Amino acid sequence: MRRNISIILLAVGHACVDIYQGAVAALVPFFVAERGYGYAAVSGVVLAASLLSSVTQPLFGVLTDRRAVPWLLPTSTALGGLGVALCGTAPSYGLTLLFVAVSGIGVAAYHPESARVARLVSRGSHRAMAWFSTGGNVGFALAPFTVAAVVSDGGLRRTPLLVLPALVGGALCLPMLRRRGRGPVTAARGTPPALVDDAASFRRLTVAVMCRSIVFVGLSTFIALYAQQRTGGDTAAGTTALFVLYLGGAVGSVLGGALAERWNRVTVCRWSYAVAAGAVAGVLLAPGPLLYLFVAVTSISLYVPFSLQVTLGQDYLPSRIGTASGITLGLTVSVGGLLSPAIGRLADITSLRTALAPLVLMPVLSWLLFHTLREPAVDRQVSDTAGQLPAGT
């Protein structure tokens, strides 16, 4: 029961933090309408948040490998909310970028430590880790609605109200701090067990996760416009497609944890990427409203491996759990973000459908890479202990 409560608190806290990952993109229309930002300017705002967050997460992962830093959870949550809260009131473009970057750093600092803590309190349960990941997916999906509810009527001057999820998330982190010295969250003392890293498998896993990132970020960037074109609808048609894409992520994460309790993670990921390849093709070819069905299947199949890849990375690098978490949760995301402008450029030259067509290959590549991986033979007790052995304690 105590483990379940801890995972629930971490999952809800994860949702509160990941609201800020989606909030910056959700604020873009308001920056355009109120400040007259052009495409280049708003791209800079989004890039300042997503790229900085993704690149710095591995650095925080290295930090959490060296010592347990549970205080990072409430501190990073506060930074994530504060940056977004202030960006709408910034008097200049430069300060807007600075505040958005602060939010990105907060999000980056949160994930490696929270993933380490979730792994420890879950005691190796794939289902529990899936619920932790689902919390973040739900928060990301709620971001557009949260921003709209706050900013639609009063404009950007009301963005300080967006700090409220951070206050909630920070409060939910406090029980983790109170357990310091009593539970598995804190650093264990003594001699660490022998841990063997499988760096080659981790590198192949990283490339597979990057391929997943490219297809998901590419779709999330353009699916709203594509749905409007394919269905002949208005902006509501595009918003619906985006919501289905995000909602499917929450479903897929829970399903992934359940499947991994019955079959091994590598096998589940292989199946999922095979389904994803067909589903992405369906998104491109399906006529009319049938598009939404394939969007849902695509999202679910891309998110079934999400939490499983995080724990696989941790098991391939048992002596560097924080680093593995930072890379699988953060660095790989930047690849999808960096390639999105190239998709847009190709769409300008040809058509959006043609530009999205190469995305079908990405889950195929992930499927092929997972055929080179094997389920790690991990002593769960030893692996869990690895996350408790920071240097200097």
Side-chain angles (χ1 to χ4, degrees):
M1 180 64 70
R2 178 176 295 178
R3 183 186 73 175
N4 292 340
I5 292 174
S6 296
I7 286 295
I8 291 171
L9 292 177
L10 285 167
V12 178
H14 195 185
C16 292
V17 171
D18 277 10
I19 280 179
Y20 299 111
Q21 289 211 82
V24 176
L27 284 168
V28 163
F30 299 97
F31 284 132
V32 172
E34 292 191 29
R35 298 183 179 177
Y37 287 175
Y39 291 123
V42 294
S43 295
V45 172
V46 175
L47 194 62
S50 61
L51 184 58
L52 187 61
S53 174
S54 299
V55 171
T56 55
Q57 279 194 47
L59 302 180
F60 286 105
V62 172
L63 172 64
T64 61
D65 283 335
R66 299 189 62 181
R67 62 177 65 250
V69 281
W71 56 265
L72 260 183
L73 298 181
T75 303
S76 59
T77 302
L79 279 178
L82 186 63
V84 167
L86 294 177
C87 72
T89 61
S92 68
Y93 181 70
L95 282 177
T96 300
L97 292 180
L98 175 63
F99 290 139
V100 166
V102 167
S103 178
I105 292 173
V107 171
Y110 175 85
H111 283 96
E113 178 65 8
S114 64
R116 185 190 70 85
V117 172
R119 177 186 176 90
L120 294 175
V121 300
S122 68
R123 301 189 183 277
S125 168
H126 301 314
R127 192 185 296 268
M129 283 297 291
W131 280 109
F132 166 72
S133 298
T134 299
N137 298 332
V138 170
F140 195 88
L142 290 176
F145 301 102
T146 304
V147 169
V150 171
V151 181
S152 289
D153 292 334
L156 290 173
R157 63 184 178 82
R158 295 186 63 182
T159 57
L161 292 176
L162 292 174
V163 79
L164 292 177
L167 298 179
V168 174
L172 293 175
C173 293
L174 296 181
M176 299 297 115
L177 296 180
R178 288 201 294 269
R179 291 183 62 183
R180 189 175 180 88
R182 293 189 289 124
V185 171
T186 56
R189 300 182 185 274
T191 303
L195 299 170
V196 179
D197 291 341
D198 184 354
S201 293
F202 182 77
R203 285 193 293 269
R204 292 194 293 271
L205 173 69
T206 299
V207 176
V209 177
M210 286 180 176
C211 292
R212 177 211 170 272
S213 169
I214 291 170
V215 64
F216 185 80
V217 175
L219 284 177
S220 62
T221 302
F222 298 105
I223 193 62
L225 294 174
Y226 185 72
Q228 289 179 237
Q229 293 179 8
R230 293 292 290 173
T231 63
D234 55 11
T235 56
T239 300
T240 301
L242 192 60
F243 177 71
V244 170
L245 186 70
Y246 289 160
L247 183 63
V251 175
S253 292
V254 175
L255 181 59
L259 293 174
E261 296 290 336
R262 183 167 184 179
W263 295 283
N264 71 65
R265 291 166 292 177
V266 172
T267 298
V268 172
C269 290
R270 286 175 190 162
W271 293 347
S272 298
Y273 283 124
V275 173
V280 175
V283 170
L284 298 177
L285 300 174
L290 192 59
L291 165 76
Y292 296 105
L293 173 62
F294 283 102
V295 170
V297 175
T298 296
S299 180
I300 292 170
S301 57
L302 288 176
Y303 265 97
V304 163
F306 187 77
S307 66
L308 307 184
Q309 291 169 155
V310 175
T311 59
L312 276 171
Q314 293 170 337
D315 286 345
Y316 287 138
L317 293 184
S319 70
R320 291 175 285 170
I321 286 178
T323 300
S325 302
I327 291 174
T328 52
L329 283 172
L331 182 62
T332 51
V333 175
S334 65
V335 176
L338 288 173
L339 289 182
S340 289
I343 297 174
R345 176 59 179 164
L346 181 59
D348 288 334
I349 298 173
T350 57
S351 68
L352 186 53
R353 186 177 185 181
T354 300
L356 293 176
L359 296 183
V360 177
L361 297 176
M362 295 298 104
V364 174
L365 291 176
S366 294
W367 177 77
L368 290 172
L369 285 164
F370 265 93
H371 274 277
T372 71
L373 298 175
R374 295 293 180 267
E375 184 74 14
V378 177
D379 183 332
R380 184 59 58 186
Q381 183 175 0
V382 169
S383 179
D384 288 347
T385 305
Q388 305 177 43
L389 294 166
T393 57

